Amino acid sequence: MKDSAHNFRKLLSWIGVVTMLGLFLLAIPHGDAPAADAKRNVRFDHVKTGFPLTGAHVQIPCETCHVQGTFKGTPKKCETCHTPGSRIQTTTIKPQNHIPTMQPCSQCHSSTASWKVARFTHIGVMPHQCAQCHNNNIATGKPTNHPVTNQPCDTCHRTTTWMSARFTHMDVKPGSCATCHNGSQATGKPGNHIPTSLSCDACHTTGGMFTTSRFNHSATQGVNPGQCATCHNGSFTQWNAQGKHAAHVATTASCDTCHSGFQSFVMAGSTFNHSGVTPGACATCHNGTQATGKPGNHIPTTQSCDACHGTGTTFTTSTFNHSATQGVIAGQCSTCHNGAYTQWNALGKHAAHVATTASCDTCHKNYTSFAGATFNHAGVTPGACATCHNGSQATGKPANHIPTSLSCDACHSAASTFTSSSFNHSATQGVIPGQCSTCHNGAYTQWNALGKHATHVATTASCDTCHTGYVTFAGAGFNHTGVTPGGCATCHNGSQATGKPGNHIPTTLSCDACHSTGGTFTTSTFTHSATQGVIAGQCSTCHNGSFVQWNALGKPANHVATTASCDTCHKNYTSFAGATFSHTGISPGTCSTCHYQGGPGLAAPTNHIPYQSQLLAGASMNCDSCHKSTTSFASQTMNHNGSLGSGSGWCKGCHASGTSYLGTMDKKSLNHYERYQGQTDCSASGCHRPLGSQGTPYSRWTN
């Protein structure tokens, strides 16, 4: 039973195989029809598989890719099939000399019709590794006529085309241009090149074009003086080496004899040395053909060019001195100065010239300019100036002239200029007292007839009421008679007349409270009276050091320290000296605050008793230890300050004979008594108290 079932299953398998084989045979085209026709008989859209059949893939049989009828898993990547050893048989595989790469075929090959249609982007290629492919085996390499170099391709070439290479010429040895530029490896010197044996870089830079060259005609470029015609012979004009033109001055001299500029042949850059040219033979060349000739409108003359024109580089520089050697004859000026030769600066008589038939040189003596002519007014009728000076023939009276009907010569006496005039304000010149404003009204300032300025004192009086000098307005005397007292500021406001300066002593009083009506403010009288605004106890309003230029002195640096007003001590307004200081309220023992050498108070004289060094026994002392009066130092009571003598305040410091301190004290020598046995001080002798037994301490020497 078991074997029967097994045999039955085996039979069914064979039946299935035979059935599949029959179906496959039915699908095979009959006869010798091409595989492509078989595929056309199959209605199947290959695009739906994700692998459209294009190019060479259309022509190959299906079983080439679908091996053994297997459709599922058929590879779609190029390199899966087009690789040696692939299970899919194909005759087109990557050749041995293919560019070494791990990229898929489709990275470069975009056509399935031909492998030759490829696009290589060079993306990912390491710099300077070009020769690994470009070796004439795998890819196009360096041709045999390539410039000799060990540099990698990408030093000069781009990855899009071999053409338009960029050669930087870096590290190229100077003078070795012909190694490459020999006409084979790179562009060489053309047959019509300027003759030279120098290297290319003597003139041409290492840029991108030979047309850009630098030729400075120096010895380093092979130029020798006197050999210009080697190049400048007309054969090399395309290289800008010009030759001598047909109308050139006939000469066999080398170009550089005259042409010293290497930028241009024009005469501005050349110098023709006229040395050796025969004087008077200018027209040999200057005939209008070889060199510039005399123009048709030249000043009429038969003189040679060099009579006026030097042998310089231009005709515009000429010297015409109107001498007889230049053909000039006195009295014949109009031969040239007739208006026909103005372009040569030979001016004619202008339309408004003074009417005259005299020759130019009658008045014009200067051959450089017509200006400065001297007209001899001798014989001109006085008062007849306007005959010529009418504004047409000669300068006339301008419209803004000072109004007058007098003739010019009433004021203007100079024969050469109107600027020199004499106006003395006399009656002969038409001046009438009280009528100054006829001219001095501001309309004739250019003639020095000044008007009343904007800040002038307001007045309708005539100028000559105050201004009596005709030379200047300064120095006018203003008569203050009739001016209302206290009305000074009407004029003295800083605009019309001098006003109170910014640093004036502070006051609201009128000027005339202190200043008189004289000619200057510097003369003033200040009495410190109430009428002048002075208030007791307010001295520092002015006497604060800010107004010393007005003689209002401030407190000096060594003044007694006080906040009291000045008039507390100073009662005299003429001088600060003689002040009386009230010592009321002064603390005892503080005298030296003011009474010291250089201080504000009277200091002890140099021969004062040396109390600071001799009277040491008691407490410290001050002036008021002895001087009890605050009005005089003459009244005092001697205070010995408890000194004991013998080192605790020496008696002999003041009482020894020979001392010269102020005072009426007794003075004796230490050995004045027979009991002297070398004692060092009065009190130490054992005689005088307080240490001795005689007298009363500090008042009597003996009992």
Side-chain angles (χ1 to χ4, degrees), residues 6 48 106 203 249 264 275 289 302 311 341 390 412 414 425 433 447 461 472 488 511 553 591 624 643 646 650:
H6 174 73
K48 293 181 179 181
S106 59
C203 300
V249 172
S264 173
S275 299
T289 301
T302 57
T311 57
Y341 306 104
N390 50 26
H412 302 280
H425 292 79
W447 310 120
T472 176
C488 307
C511 307
L553 304 179
C591 308
D624 55 358
S643 297
S646 188
W650 295 97

Side-chain angles (χ1 to χ4, degrees), residues 539-552:
C539 306
S540 62
T541 303
C542 301
H543 295 283
N544 53 26
S546 300
F547 307 103
V548 291
Q549 68 271 44
W550 309 121
N551 204 28

Side-chain angles (χ1 to χ4, degrees), residues 330-366:
Q332 293 188 6
C333 306
S334 61
T335 302
C336 299
H337 294 284
N338 53 26
Y341 306 104
T342 55
Q343 69 270 43
W344 308 121
N345 203 28
L347 304 179
K349 191 160 54 180
H350 57 81
H353 193 280
V354 172
T356 179
T357 58
S359 178
C360 305
D361 52 2
T362 304
C363 297
H364 301 280
K365 307 296 184 183
N366 183 354

Side-chain angles (χ1 to χ4, degrees), residues 334-510:
S334 61
T335 302
C336 299
H337 294 284
N338 53 26
Y341 306 104
T342 55
Q343 69 270 43
W344 308 121
N345 203 28
L347 304 179
K349 191 160 54 180
H350 57 81
H353 193 280
V354 172
T356 179
T357 58
S359 178
C360 305
D361 52 2
T362 304
C363 297
H364 301 280
K365 307 296 184 183
N366 183 354
Y367 297 125
T368 305
S369 171
F370 282 108
T374 303
F375 183 78
N376 189 348
H377 287 76
V380 176
T381 305
C385 307
T387 304
C388 294
H389 292 286
N390 50 26
S392 297
Q393 294 177 320
T395 303
K397 186 162 60 177
N400 59 351
H401 192 281
I402 291 177
T404 179
S405 58
L406 294 175
S407 177
C408 306
D409 53 2
C411 298
H412 302 280
S413 58
S416 58
T417 175
F418 282 106
T419 56
S420 298
S421 61
S422 176
F423 192 76
N424 57 18
H425 292 79
S426 64
T428 58
Q429 290 183 327
V431 175
I432 301 174
Q435 294 189 4
C436 306
S437 61
T438 303
C439 300
H440 294 285
N441 53 25
Y444 307 103
T445 55
Q446 67 270 46
W447 310 120
N448 204 28
L450 304 178
K452 192 158 53 178
H453 56 80
T455 58
H456 192 281
V457 172
T459 178
T460 58
S462 179
C463 305
D464 52 3
T465 304
C466 298
H467 302 280
T468 56
Y470 297 123
V471 179
T472 176
F473 283 106
F478 184 77
N479 188 345
H480 287 77
T481 303
V483 175
T484 304
C488 307
T490 304
C491 297
H492 293 285
N493 50 24
S495 297
Q496 294 176 319
T498 304
K500 186 162 59 178
N503 60 351
H504 192 279
I505 290 176
T507 179
T508 58
L509 294 176
S510 176

